[in-house]
Amino acid sequence: MTDVARVVVVDDDRAIRWVLERALAQPDLEVETLDRADRALERLLDSPPDVLVTDIRMPGIDGLDLMAKVREVHPELPVIVMTAHSDLDSAVASYQGGAFDYLPKPFDVDEALALVRRAVAHVRERQRPVSVPEGLDAEIIGEAPAMQEVFRAIGRLSHSHITVLINGESGTGKERVAQALHQHSPRAGKPFIALNMAAIPKDLIESELFGHEKGAFTGATAQRQGRFEQANGGTLFLDEIGDMPAETQTRLLRVLADGEFYRVGGHTSVKVDVRIIAATHQNLEALVGDGRFREDLFHRLNVIRVHLPNLAERREDIPRLARHFLAEAAKELATDVKVLTPEAEAHFTRLPWPGNVRQLENTCRWLTVMASGREVLVEDLPQELREPGANVGNTGDWRTAFRDWADRALAAGHTHLLEEAVPDFERILIETALKHTGGRKGEAAELLGWGRNTLTRKLKTLLPALAEGE
């Protein structure tokens, strides 16, 4: 592809064609306008542009039909759909038809130009090979010192059948560590069975764990094996063990001591050989002190303890984790792998991620569906994640949140804080001002108390995607 990108605009409204022809008249863009989709179709099939911008409602075939016919032959062509009929049906139909993005009329010309540039960048990015991160199929990703300690523990326990207790906040990946402990143990060829205590109603937990006999209770129409029997010879992972009811704690203690149990409603003991791996985000010592967890069971489970760090304690792993989850999401959704820009990747590493690895994984899945281009920009993120310090706490006082951020950054060993904070501070103010002015840069400069030239210079440094076309 040459440096000049070819853009075709199809709209029966002469005024729209005139506006877009002049707005897109940039040194790196070559614009052609056409007034009817049926007349444009043959030309588009023979000589596809880099980007197609089309109205929906036109005489003859409409924009959605045009997009469908062109994409049958050129499926990679990004199509921007615009319409004055800004309703839900039009938006949904556009995206279902494979539109790159949706531009409701009336639109700001700066917004239209930025969207076309995003589509051009998307085309060029697709032509570059994607490097799938090493270790895509790895059980656990982690180069941070805290994660290396977890890996060492898994290695040391690889020849053992010993009980393990995993501590870590919600979303840190406790089940993945439990699976790794099982897969690198002598029991690897036997079942790995997981049960989340917090997800099972209290009156069903004993049946889930130990099974039941036919007729043991209403609805028990047949004998059923519990998780202990299913895991015989292998590993039983009990997640959120701190939520286990007191009576079930007593039964579990007996199984751990004797290696046998009775099914609910049963009179014959069942012997099993099961390794227990338990996990919790709670402080079990505190629960013991409050009388909510049996001390003798705690000591039975707390033979070897593995602590999982939260994501904020392993920030150096965030870029690699994000690349891994983006690749996984693309495979799952049968679409292209999204790539974080350097700015977005740096932004990811500064976010607090209170939901930990699970939140990062869900964000990557969201971006795979919702981000327009192949490259993911900071502005593609959900609103609540766009600002550094998002989700830290909704105190309403940005100065307090900013002071907390500085305290955490210095405690984590960061240096040159002004070089990190000032550009983000200015970037957030610029983005917010542009949002309030609908993208009109002159008015945004006035809101910020800058001259137009100052805003232009800052945009080129901080938000180059928005500065293009100045």
Side-chain angles (χ1 to χ4, degrees), residues 104-174:
K105 298 176 183 176
F107 50 79
D108 184 88
V109 292
D110 288 337
E111 179 187 358
L113 176 58
L115 191 52
V116 168
R117 289 195 182 282
R118 285 292 305 278
V120 172
H122 171 74
V123 170
R124 291 178 175 166
E125 183 64 28
R126 286 188 70 135
Q127 294 183 343
R128 291 167 46 192
V130 175
S131 56
V132 177
E134 292 182 13
L136 178 61
D137 297 322
E139 300 146 6
I140 313 169
I141 291 173
E143 297 175 358
M147 286 304 295
Q148 292 302 309
E149 287 300 315
V150 175
F151 293 167
R152 289 189 189 97
I154 293 172
R156 292 187 186 114
L157 292 166
S158 61
H159 299 294
S160 173
H161 300 268
I162 202 165
T163 301
V164 178
L165 177 63
I166 303 172
N167 267 115
E169 295 177 10
S170 295
T172 49
K174 296 187 287 294

Side-chain angles (χ1 to χ4, degrees), residues 402-414:
F402 188 54
R403 184 175 289 107
D404 290 343
W405 169 83
D407 283 340
R408 287 194 306 275
L410 292 172
H414 289 210

Side-chain angles (χ1 to χ4, degrees), residues 118 366-367 370-373 375-383 386:
R118 285 292 305 278
W366 187 92
L367 288 169
M370 300 300 291
S372 298
E375 279 196 319
V376 175
L377 310 178
V378 173
E379 47 264 41
D380 289 325
L381 289 173
Q383 179 65 41
R386 288 181 196 169

Side-chain angles (χ1 to χ4, degrees), residues 441-442 444-458:
K441 298 181 179 67
E446 187 174 348
L447 289 179
L448 294 168
W450 285 341
R452 173 72 182 231
N453 290 340
T454 301
L455 177 60
T456 299
R457 188 177 70 254
K458 295 285 187 181

Side-chain angles (χ1 to χ4, degrees), residues 209-224:
L209 278 172
F210 309 115
H212 60 253
E213 298 289 351
K214 180 179 179 180
F217 50 82
T218 302
T221 57
Q223 185 191 80
R224 180 181 180 276

